[in-house]
Amino acid sequence: MQGKRILLGITGGIAAYKIAYLIRILKKQGAEVRAIMTPASSDFISPLVVSTLTENPVHIEFWNKQTGEWTNHVELALWADVLVIAPCTANTMAKMSTGICDNLLLATYFSMKSKTIIAPAMDLDMYQHPTVKRNMETLLSDGVQIIPATEGELASGLEGQGRMEEPAQIAEILQDFFRIEHKNGPSKTILITAGPTHEAMDPVRFIGNHSSGKMGFELAKTSLALGHSVILISGPSSMELVHPNLQLIRVQSAEEMLSAVQMHWNRCQVGIFSAAVADYRPEIVANEKIKKNEEHLTLNLVKNPDILSWASSNRENRQIVVGFALETNNAEENALSKLDRKKLDFIVLNEFVKDVSGFQSETNKITIFDKDKKSFVFPLKSKKEVALDILSVVLTIE
Ligand code: PMT
C-alpha cells in the first residue's frame, strides 16, 4: 500500500462513521488518502475527523464559499490510483448507473480513469429491491467493483444483508487489488472448475476422490475480490460462496462438468481448471442398490471426457487456459508433459504432501510453468495466497 493514492468517497449512510477506522488502517499501511464527502454524509461523520485522519483537506462542494477556491474534480480523478466509495448509498449507486452528476463525488466518479470500488450499505429490503439490484448489475458491467454488503444487525434494528463490509476487510481487498497490475476497462470473465467429481455406481454409491473444493473456491474468491466475474463450476463440495459477480454451478459427475463448461466457455477470457476430475466412471450405473452377495465385485470403468483438453482445443480469441497437476512422483516431468499434451498456456504443479499440500489441506506448494516452460516457484502458502500467486502470473501475460 506504500505510496498508493486512494481517493475515498463517503456518502450519507450510518456506516460512514466506520470510515474513520478505514482511513486509519490505510494510512498505517502507507497509503496516501484524500476524501470527497457528499453533503449528506457530514450528518454521519464530521469533515474535521476525516480531514484530521487523512491529513488532507476534505472536498465537499465544487467551490468553497469562504475561500472562493474551486475543487477540480478532473484533477482529483487523475490523481487517484483507485476511487473507493464507502459507504455507497442506493441513491449514489442510482446516480452512478444513470449518469446523474449533481455533486462533486459523482463528477469525480465520471472523470475516473482508474478503477472504482464501492461498498454498498443500506437496509435489507432496499438491498434486495429490484431497482437497486439492476443498478448494481449496470455498475458491474461498467467495470465498477462491488464489495457486497454483509449480513447482520442493521441500524434499523432488522437483521439481514445490508451492512457495509468491515474496514479491515475493505483494506484487505484493496491490498489484493494493488498486488496485481490492474488495467483499466471491463473486467475479465474467468471460468474455474473446482472440487471432485462423483461417478455413480448405483443410486447410493459413487467413485470419487478427496478434493474439498478449497483451492477452486479460493481462486474464485480472489478473482472476485480483484473485480473479475467468475463462473465457478464445482463438483460436490461443502464450500459456499455468494457474490453478485459470481455464477456458481454445482455438478456431480465429469460429464455434467463438461456440459457446464461447454455452455459457458465461449464467454470467458480465462479458464482455470483446478477440479480433480475422476478419470474413469462405471460403464453401467445400476438402477438398484448393488447387493453384496458375491465375494468379489467387478466394475467395468470407461474413460471420462477430458474437460481441460476440450476447453483448450475449443478456444476463440486468445482465451487463456490454465491446468493443474497433482503429482506424487516425477512431478515436473509429468506436469510438463500435461502442459504440452493438452496445449495449455500454464500448468500449476501441486506437490503432494499428505495433509500439507494437495487435497483438503489449508496450504499448497506450487510451481507454475508457462508454455515456454519458464517456471515460477513458490514456497508453501495458504490456498488464498496461492490463488493470488496464480492470478498474478496468469493475468499479467498480455
Ligand atoms: O479441492 P482441494 O481439496 O483444495 O484440492 C485441490 C486440488 C489438489 C484438487 C487441486 O489443487 C489440483 O491439483 N487439481 C488437479 C488434480 C489433478 O492432478 O488432476 P489430473 O492430473 O487428473 O488432471 C490434470 C488437469 O486436467 C487438471 O487441470 C484437471 O482439472 C484436468 N482434467 C483431468 C481429467 C479430466 N477428465 N478432465 C479434466 O479437466
Side-chain angles (χ1 to χ4, degrees):
M1 285 296 224
Q2 194 61 43
K4 295 295 178 204
R5 295 187 293 208
I6 298 173
L7 185 57
L8 266 186
I10 307 172
T11 71
I14 183 69
Y17 80 91
K18 292 188 185 172
I19 294 312
Y21 300 100
L22 178 60
I23 298 170
R24 294 263 298 161
I25 299 171
L26 298 176
K27 292 286 290 181
K28 271 194 183 163
Q29 292 174 345
E32 232 184 287
V33 184
R34 292 193 193 174
I36 304 175
M37 297 176 64
T38 61
S41 71
S42 55
D43 290 337
F44 298 94
I45 183 167
S46 146
L48 179 62
V49 171
V50 176
S51 173
T52 308
L53 293 174
T54 57
E55 299 176 284
N56 273 312
V58 171
H59 307 281
I60 301 177
E61 304 287 355
F62 283 99
W63 69 287
N64 184 322
K65 291 185 181 104
Q66 271 88 47
T67 62
E69 273 174 43
W70 176 61
T71 301
N72 188 332
H73 57 281
V74 178
E75 216 170 79
L76 276 173
L78 288 176
W79 171 85
D81 292 324
V82 66
L83 167 64
V84 183
I85 307 182
C88 191
T89 57
N91 183 41
T92 294
M93 278 199 284
K95 290 177 178 177
M96 287 167 75
S97 60
T98 50
I100 296 174
C101 184
D102 62 359
N103 63 37
L104 180 64
L105 175 60
L106 290 160
T108 309
Y109 164 66
F110 290 116
S111 311
M112 284 297 294
K113 290 221 183 294
S114 39
K115 191 90 176 171
T116 298
I117 301 178
I118 63 172
M122 64 200 74
D123 216 46
L124 76 167
D125 295 318
M126 284 176 80
Y127 198 71
Q128 293 306 329
H129 196 281
T131 309
V132 173
K133 285 189 163 177
R134 206 163 44 239
N135 290 339
M136 281 204 242
E137 274 159 28
T138 304
L139 290 174
L140 281 171
S141 63
D142 289 346
V144 172
Q145 182 173 335
I146 299 181
I147 303 174
T150 61
E151 293 208 9
E153 212 177 299
L154 300 165
S156 61
L158 297 173
E159 288 250 349
Q161 191 178 13
R163 285 170 66 89
M164 187 185 78
E165 180 57 278
E166 292 303 322
Q169 260 63 52
I170 297 178
E172 213 173 286
I173 289 167
L174 283 170
Q175 272 175 8
D176 288 350
F177 170 81
F178 283 120
R179 280 171 70 179
I180 287 194
E181 270 304 305
H182 262 259
K183 292 190 174 66
N184 190 30
S187 310
K188 292 188 168 52
T189 301
I190 303 179
L191 183 147
I192 298 170
T193 66
T197 63
H198 285 182
E199 310 297 331
M201 289 166 56
D202 68 17
V204 293
R205 301 189 185 92
F206 59 82
I207 297 175
N209 59 62
H210 294 294
S211 168
S212 62
K214 272 181 214 164
M215 190 63 250
F217 275 70
E218 284 302 341
L219 279 162
K221 255 192 246 172
T222 308
S223 305
L224 292 163
L226 293 169
H228 301 289
S229 297
V230 173
I231 297 168
L232 175 59
I233 302 170
S234 174
S237 159
S238 58
M239 309 291 294
E240 301 281 347
L241 189 55
V242 178
H243 191 284
N245 228 356
L246 169 74
Q247 190 174 350
L248 172 56
I249 301 162
R250 295 204 189 256
V251 297
Q252 292 289 321
S253 65
E255 286 182 308
E256 285 173 20
M257 190 173 273
L258 175 66
S259 306
V261 168
Q262 287 173 331
M263 197 172 291
H264 297 282
W265 180 224
N266 68 356
R267 65 186 176 95
C268 300
Q269 288 83 53
V270 182
I272 307 181
F273 297 82
S274 69
V277 183
D279 292 319
Y280 293 90
R281 67 178 186 279
E283 187 170 25
I284 295 166
V285 182
N287 288 332
E288 310 287 339
K289 186 178 168 195
I290 299 170
K291 296 276 178 266
K292 51 174 185 293
N293 299 335
E294 311 293 333
E295 269 317 299
H296 297 277
L297 172 71
T298 306
L299 267 184
N300 270 341
L301 302 179
V302 289
K303 204 157 194 191
N304 263 329
D306 192 313
I307 301 163
L308 175 61
S309 297
W310 180 87
S312 175
S313 48
N314 285 276
R315 301 191 215 196
E316 286 168 21
N317 305 325
R318 299 177 63 228
Q319 286 168 298
I320 297 167
V321 180
V322 185
F324 268 67
L326 177 70
E327 303 294 342
T328 51
N329 60 312
N330 294 338
E332 187 169 327
E333 197 184 313
N334 290 339
L336 289 175
S337 134
K338 278 178 194 167
L339 178 76
D340 281 342
R341 217 172 48 242
K342 302 194 184 194
K343 297 190 174 54
L344 310 177
D345 294 296
F346 296 95
I347 191 133
V348 180
L349 165 63
N350 261 333
E351 285 169 37
F352 179 76
V353 184
K354 196 173 180 307
D355 298 333
V356 175
S357 179
F359 291 134
Q360 297 198 338
S361 58
E362 294 303 323
T363 47
N364 250 8
K365 162 95 183 72
I366 63 155
T367 302
I368 305 176
F369 294 96
D370 71 11
K371 58 175 174 236
D372 301 321
K373 309 213 165 56
K374 182 177 160 204
S375 63
F376 303 80
V377 185
F378 298 92
L380 185 73
K381 291 185 179 188
S382 72
K383 283 185 175 170
K384 176 180 160 52
E385 290 171 302
V386 170
L388 196 55
D389 288 337
I390 293 170
L391 292 165
S392 306
V393 172
V394 167
L395 298 181
T396 50
I397 58 159
E398 289 166 299

